[in-house]
Amino acid sequence: MSFSTLGLAPELLRAVASRGYTEPTPVQSQAIPLVLAGRDLLAGAQTGTGKTAAFVLPMLQRLSTSHDRELAAAGRPRIRALILTPTRELAIQVEESVRVYGGGRRRSTAIYGGVGFGGQVAALRRGAEIVVATPGRLLDHARQGTIDLRSVEILVLDEADRMLDMGFIRDIRSVLALLPDRRQNLLFSATFSREIRGLAEGLLNSPASVQATPRNTPTALVRQVAHPVDRSRKRELLSHLVRSHAVDQALVFTRTKHGANKLAQQLWADGIATATIHGNRSQPQRLRALSDFKAGRVTLLIATEVAARGLDIEQLPHVVNYELPMVPSDYVHRIGRTGRAGVEGDAISLVCVDETPLLRDIERLLGAPIPSLVVAGFEPDPSIRPEPVRLRSAGGAGHGAAGRHHHAPRSRGASSGAFGGSRRGGGQRVGRPRRHEIPGSSIGNQAGRWSSLPGERKHR
Ligand code: AMP
């Protein structure tokens, strides 16, 4: 399969070739002709599958019409394509792809929270045809009258599952109300909960659907295990797993930047070479950490959620969840980093009693239990009571500057399972458990070996 058979214009084929891509990824070969044909699209694809180019390339082509020249001649460009993303990091990354693939021919801008309005208002005033935005900040602009979305022709919801998990559904619906009725809609999501399906039903018009993550194969490639362990002994257990060669090289997820730093220091003290990748590390520091890891100079690469997104690490044998993510679909995204390209991988979760409810939520999303294995010598102390898992804001370490939205209250307290039956002192579950499901499961993916550190391409 070659890009030239997909119906893309010569300048886009040149852009693709200059990026060094020789053949389309599965989501690209499926999605591009459908989008070019003007279809609405429901796509199952996660980071690393090449999903960005799958919508950006055909979108750029559809914007290159004579109508477009008429519009441009009439004055400053109007917003013709809107891409919504859950986080500022992703907005920046996608907008960069628009610029790279568009060869500077299309004006684009990224709109996200956590920074001043001034620069964004100025960029919007100068005019942009393509806006990549997080929903909250976009609405703030709409309310202030600094953005006009009435000429949007193409809407893309990127990582829709994350947007919903982050509580953006109302914002998304408010944005939809600002768009013209006639438009093309593309929805990309790694997982498909009932909420996502509901959103898709209301949004998409006779959509074509594509699935970049082959059904069931990923679970077969990723061996998952949960090690119940006391919260105070997690670091010791991780060191033990490395020393006993149960883990050689691994990407280790912590919930916070502070947690990543602290763990790295402790592991160094244990004599294990580590590096960290998180929001407080500069781009050169991140690249250095990544190259040290790839070269084998570093055993454990400790990362927070967002920072680890799009990391270009092929054939990653192990992913360790030092702390479980607060949002179940993040688990799927995390472990999608292993078991790629037909290579088997392990996803190891160190689960303390506080996290049992999070584990249950993840298992509910997966539709299957994660095998639990107590490591000898690390049996959890049954007298330890669960402590509530501290909530973090969506704008925190995990999800970048998504703004004012907080995750729904999580259930807490103890439950059965990894800790072997109901535990004394366990509180009742509070809050409504989330119900998720994945059609055919999309953990990991065979198509997912194309990825890079966000921003890495600038350095290539
Ligand atoms: P995405 O899933 O959109 O985040 O893309 C992940 C990475 O794959 C990015 O670094 C892209 O530059 C890269 N990529 C996208 N399409 C291809 C392709 N056809 N061949 C090789 N790399 C690609």
Side-chain angles (χ1 to χ4, degrees), residues 163-178:
M163 287 200 275
L164 262 50
D165 276 339
M166 292 170 72
F168 282 136
I169 186 68
R170 285 184 58 190
D171 285 356
I172 292 173
R173 293 205 187 281
S174 304
V175 171
L176 295 182
L178 301 171

Side-chain angles (χ1 to χ4, degrees), residues 221-255:
L221 286 168
V222 182
R223 279 185 305 260
Q224 301 175 69
V225 65
H227 293 313
V229 60
D230 290 339
R231 88 180 76 83
S232 61
R233 299 195 66 202
K234 282 191 176 185
R235 196 259 309 144
E236 213 184 315
L237 174 56
L238 182 54
S239 290
H240 170 79
L241 293 174
V242 172
R243 285 213 201 87
S244 62
H245 303 289
V247 167
D248 38 20
Q249 261 209 318
L251 178 61
V252 179
F253 285 94
T254 59
R255 221 175 278 140

